[in-house]
Amino acid sequence: PYRGLCRSGLVGVGKGKGKGFGEAQERYRVRLVRVWDPEGSDIDLDDTIAAYVERIYRMGLLVGAFRYDPFQMHQVAVNLRKRGVPCIEFNQGQDRLKADSFLWKLFNDRRIDVYNNTVLEGHVKGANVKEYENEQVRIIKGEASEANKVDGAVALSRAFWAAWGRT
């Protein structure tokens, strides 16, 4: 089994038309949130993350490809592909910068509908951003010890970027 000590998040979103401030606009809705936290010990990534992704794919809840960080999830993606689950690499460079900037814009434009999920809320509230030129931002870990859990926020940015049709 492939084991690792990494915190990982999976967020599923949908996109549709909705009302925002009295006018029709494209809105994004959080549909699914799952965060794995090994809490200091290894977890079997195949039995946890890969099994869950394959299950939601077989149920029809994962439309399109599973997008993953190749640094931590390369072997998970290899194993998922062997089982017929499409996977797309999502790097931590320019793709991540664009996705994080898009999430920031959606939050500022109030175009996100979320359901109450305390884990995702904690990850979003614990995140800070580093600003770059051209109004680009990158999600980074906050200052407080609990604020370093931002994996759900990063997964959220990746999911909205994919729903927008950019990867």
Side-chain angles (χ1 to χ4, degrees):
Y2 179 60
R3 302 183 71 75
L5 176 60
C6 65
R7 189 177 304 112
S8 296
L10 177 71
V11 175
V13 302
K15 175 174 80 168
K17 296 287 183 191
K19 286 260 182 182
F21 301 106
E23 60 187 51
Q25 61 180 216
E26 196 166 62
R27 300 203 50 85
Y28 295 81
R29 193 164 281 122
V30 174
R31 301 280 190 200
L32 172 117
V33 176
R34 182 74 189 263
V35 175
W36 291 267
D37 190 346
E39 298 178 1
S41 62
D42 285 348
I43 60 172
D44 185 318
L45 300 176
D46 224 23
D47 286 346
T48 55
I49 298 168
Y52 184 77
V53 170
E54 183 179 7
R55 186 169 62 249
I56 65 171
Y57 177 75
R58 302 276 178 241
M59 293 170 61
L61 298 175
L62 176 62
V63 179
F66 168 64
R67 285 152 177 86
Y68 68 97
D69 174 0
F71 180 71
Q72 295 180 337
M73 294 290 139
H74 173 75
Q75 189 60 51
V76 168
V78 167
N79 296 345
L80 284 170
R81 284 188 188 106
K82 287 179 184 176
R83 295 181 224 156
V85 178
C87 299
I88 295 176
E89 187 175 297
F90 193 95
N91 71 56
Q92 293 289 330
Q94 282 297 86
D95 289 343
R96 167 82 185 278
L97 188 62
K98 291 174 187 174
D100 290 358
S101 299
F102 183 64
L103 177 63
W104 184 256
K105 181 173 176 22
L106 289 177
F107 271 124
N108 286 333
D109 293 348
R110 297 182 178 179
R111 293 175 45 204
I112 297 175
D113 301 320
V114 297
Y115 65 89
N116 187 20
N117 183 286
T118 55
V119 173
L120 182 60
E121 181 180 344
H123 284 227
V124 170
K125 285 182 176 178
N128 283 339
V129 295
K130 182 176 181 182
E131 296 184 43
Y132 294 88
E133 59 186 40
N134 299 326
E135 298 183 3
Q136 290 188 314
V137 298
R138 181 178 174 90
I139 296 170
I140 59 172
K141 295 177 180 181
E143 299 294 324
S145 62
E146 278 300 305
N148 67 359
K149 296 181 179 182
V150 299
D151 305 87
V154 171
L156 184 65
S157 112
R158 186 177 295 150
F160 282 135
W161 186 247
W164 192 42
R166 294 302 176 186
T167 62

